[in-house]
Amino acid sequence: DLYRKVFVFRKDPSDAYVVLRAKLEEPLQNFTVCLRSYTDLTRPHSLFSYATKTQDNEILLFKPKPGEYRFYVGGKFVTFRVPEGRGDWEHVCASWESATGIAEFWFNGKPWPRKGLQKGYTVGATAAILLGQEQDSFGGGFDLYNSFSGELADIYLWDTGLSPDKMRAAYLSLRLPPALLAWKSLSYEVKGDVVVKARLRE
């Protein structure tokens, strides 16, 4: 249970990462991924990387520069431009629906204009899920200059699109529906220089 805790990625650039284990029974037609990050990096960095044997960017949340997020599904991406950070935690949720190809992006509890992405696609279930590195091959192939440095918390993955109420609940750290990956019952393994610490402030 990582309630009120964070992963601290201490080095920049870094070869460290965290492996997450999710129990995926079948491929995903819909999903939502949420997380909170705190960093002063201005170079590109990866937040959440979900790779399959056939597609290294099956699901990817990537920040190429301050004020911009890229959300990948099946190797294709859409860009969401957000206010540049003022040295504070940033909470993002990204959801995707195969039937409509609608990608939804929420930043600090507010929805951004929806975009179209990979209509009819299916996300593979046999995945390597990593925090802090961007996979260029299944479970590896890292570029250290895409590594994350800073603090990560409140990581979730659902096999559904969340309702607006639940998106806001994720931002406010309120009660959430059962998830494939849940911060309060996370199965994870630290690889390299990552430390679990108490959150400094709410």
Side-chain angles (χ1 to χ4, degrees), residues 147-194:
S147 63
F148 178 77
S149 164
E151 305 189 14
L152 287 180
D154 296 340
I155 292 127
Y156 288 88
L157 175 67
W158 288 272
D159 57 359
T160 57
L162 290 197
S163 68
D165 283 355
K166 293 288 183 271
M167 289 288 200
R168 282 187 283 271
Y171 171 60
L172 297 168
S173 295
L174 304 176
R175 277 195 59 190
L176 293 165
L180 298 170
L181 288 170
W183 189 241
K184 291 182 182 170
S185 58
L186 201 64
S187 174
Y188 69 93
E189 188 181 348
V190 167
K191 303 280 192 180
D193 197 345
V194 182

Side-chain angles (χ1 to χ4, degrees), residues 71 95-104 114-119:
F71 174 35
S95 80
W96 172 81
E97 179 177 76
S98 174
T100 57
I102 291 285
E104 217 174 278
R114 287 171 277 202
K115 301 196 174 184
L117 183 63
Q118 291 286 53
K119 183 176 177 180

Side-chain angles (χ1 to χ4, degrees), residues 71-139:
F71 174 35
Y72 287 75
V73 176
K76 304 264 196 321
F77 70 89
V78 286
T79 298
F80 294 94
R81 287 174 188 83
V82 300
E84 275 200 37
R86 293 181 301 278
D88 214 338
W89 283 89
E90 293 187 359
H91 184 268
V92 295
C93 286
S95 80
W96 172 81
E97 179 177 76
S98 174
T100 57
I102 291 285
E104 217 174 278
F105 187 84
W106 290 66
F107 180 78
N108 288 343
K110 296 186 183 70
W112 252 233
R114 287 171 277 202
K115 301 196 174 184
L117 183 63
Q118 291 286 53
K119 183 176 177 180
Y121 188 78
T122 299
V123 170
T126 309
I129 309 176
L130 306 187
L131 303 175
Q133 297 285 354
E134 195 248 313
Q135 304 176 71
D136 284 327
S137 58
F138 188 72

Side-chain angles (χ1 to χ4, degrees), residues 39 41 43-47 61-64 145-149:
T39 180
L41 288 177
R43 61 165 175 76
H45 56 276
S46 173
L47 295 161
L61 272 178
F62 190 79
K63 213 168 172 207
Y145 290 93
N146 284 335
S147 63
F148 178 77
S149 164

